[in-house]
Amino acid sequence: MAINITRPRTKSHTPEEGVARRLLDSSAQLSYDPLTEVDWETPLDEDFHGASPEWSTLYGTPYWTELTEAQRKALTRQEAASVASTGIWFEMILQQMVLRDIYAKDPTDDTFQWALTEIADECRHSIMFARGAKKLGAPAYRPHRVAVELGRLFKTVAFGEAAYAAILVAEEVLDVMQRDWMRDERVVPFVRTINNIHVVEESRHMKFARDETRKHLARAGRLRRRIHALLIAVAAYVIVTSMVNRKVYANAGLDEERAVREAKANEHHASMMRSSCAGLMTFLDSVGLLTRPALFFYKRAHLI
């Protein structure tokens, strides 16, 4: 007598889960522990920059030409620490938005598990940035109070494509500059290691953010799309304009008022920011998030 055996049904995977599974596999194969990978013990060598000089907010200005090489190095170390502090601030926003997005969803899904993996990565990155800033001899740079409160509001109200596209904006801007820093032998070695770790692991986060943005936009109406396009652009403006705290100049021994004035008028730095965001702007345009109101804020932040 023949016996019929019913095989258990295997769970079908959505395209999003396919992406998440590949990202999980990649994370298992290539991830870092900053506590052991970064040289925290060697004292800071002040003969090095903290970031590639070309990325300094004063590079190319009359003030920059007046600075000694030691002053330039001190400035880039403070600027790198400020960028790291801003990164911590936004990564804390990111983690809360991702947690809220996956709240009460199926924990057996690869997408859910990848989201938790990304949050774990961001926790390690924040600790890494904090230790790096401290080793650079910098204070705790914090965004302006208005930016902090806007961030508090954004992480509370942003959802779907607004949350993931904003994540993408922040990570893309950091990615391009950090790729330069990690290859630059003028930059202090431990910072280059930090940048390498962040670039490798954030490449997976950016892939996920792009896919999630497309997924959420697929079911977004015209009004929601336009509102979120503006919300993302405002978030991008606040993030980018908060990256370098004005106190870095005084802490590097410079005239703060003059430095702020020349940094704001620095076309070289504006050009560097625009070039770093070319791919990002192409993506936002392709998904319909470069509306006229949004462009106003991207242009003010020198992202386009």
Side-chain angles (χ1 to χ4, degrees):
M1 181 176 65
I3 301 176
N4 291 325
I5 300 176
T6 303
R7 296 181 180 273
R9 292 185 179 180
T10 58
K11 185 178 179 179
S12 61
H13 293 283
T14 66
E16 292 79 17
E17 288 177 318
V19 170
R21 170 43 51 190
R22 290 193 295 274
L23 293 174
L24 283 167
D25 292 342
S26 174
S27 180
Q29 295 170 14
L30 187 59
S31 290
Y32 299 95
D33 180 358
L35 294 179
T36 57
E37 296 286 343
V38 181
D39 179 7
W40 300 115
E41 301 304 321
T42 302
L44 174 66
D45 187 341
E46 294 187 353
D47 286 335
F48 286 92
H49 284 276
S52 296
E54 293 78 9
W55 276 100
S56 173
T57 55
L58 288 183
Y59 185 89
T61 66
Y63 203 176
W64 180 267
T65 62
E66 296 175 18
L67 300 180
T68 66
E69 194 61 23
Q71 287 176 313
R72 292 172 180 176
K73 290 172 180 175
L75 173 60
T76 60
R77 289 196 297 270
Q78 293 296 318
E79 288 177 318
S82 180
V83 170
S85 295
T86 302
I88 295 169
W89 168 62
F90 191 75
E91 284 180 345
M92 293 179 72
I93 294 174
L94 178 160
Q95 291 172 59
Q96 292 177 72
M97 291 192 299
V98 173
L99 273 173
R100 193 174 69 249
D101 187 56
I102 65 172
Y103 177 71
K105 291 186 177 178
D106 183 353
T108 66
D109 282 351
D110 290 337
T111 300
F112 182 98
Q113 294 173 29
W114 164 254
L116 290 181
T117 302
E118 179 170 344
I119 291 167
D121 286 347
E122 299 298 3
C123 286
R124 291 196 308 275
H125 294 169
S126 293
I127 296 170
M128 175 176 71
F129 285 158
R131 295 189 67 174
K134 184 176 181 179
K135 186 168 180 176
L136 285 168
Y141 290 115
R142 293 183 177 89
H144 191 276
R145 181 59 183 268
V146 173
V148 171
E149 295 308 320
L150 286 173
R152 196 187 307 279
L153 174 65
F154 181 77
K155 70 180 178 61
T156 303
V157 303
F159 66 92
E161 65 276 7
Y164 285 102
I167 290 169
L168 184 62
V169 168
E171 300 297 0
E172 288 262 7
V173 173
L174 277 176
D175 181 71
V176 174
M177 67 172 64
Q178 289 186 329
R179 285 178 185 274
D180 285 349
W181 300 0
M182 74 184 194
R183 302 186 186 104
D184 193 337
E185 295 184 356
R186 297 169 296 177
V187 175
V188 65
F190 84 90
V191 170
R192 295 178 63 194
T193 303
I194 287 172
N195 292 329
N196 182 68
I197 292 172
H198 197 246
V199 164
V200 169
E201 297 186 346
E202 289 297 334
S203 66
R204 295 189 285 262
H205 300 183
M206 291 189 290
K207 170 64 175 174
F208 185 64
R210 284 175 184 255
D211 286 342
E212 287 296 300
T213 299
R214 291 192 188 96
K215 180 182 75 173
H216 287 285
L217 281 171
R219 52 178 182 263
R222 182 172 179 272
L223 179 60
R224 170 175 147 180
R225 187 184 298 258
R226 292 183 69 83
I227 292 172
H228 279 190
L230 179 58
L231 186 60
I232 295 160
V234 172
Y237 175 81
V238 173
I239 294 164
V240 170
T241 56
S242 299
M243 290 182 71
V244 177
N245 190 296
R246 63 180 292 147
K247 295 300 180 185
V248 301
Y249 306 114
N251 290 331
L254 309 186
D255 180 334
E256 182 179 323
E257 294 302 323
R258 180 185 175 190
V260 169
R261 186 168 61 252
E262 294 201 23
K264 285 183 177 178
N266 188 359
E267 179 52 36
H268 169 79
H269 190 259
S271 176
M272 293 286 282
M273 294 299 294
R274 284 193 295 270
S275 65
S276 74
C277 292
L280 170 65
M281 292 300 132
T282 298
F283 172 76
L284 293 177
D285 187 35
S286 71
V287 295
L289 291 176
L290 277 190
T291 60
R292 183 173 296 179
L295 280 170
F296 171 80
F297 286 96
Y298 290 127
K299 289 178 179 178
R300 287 204 61 177
H302 303 296
L303 298 183
I304 194 169

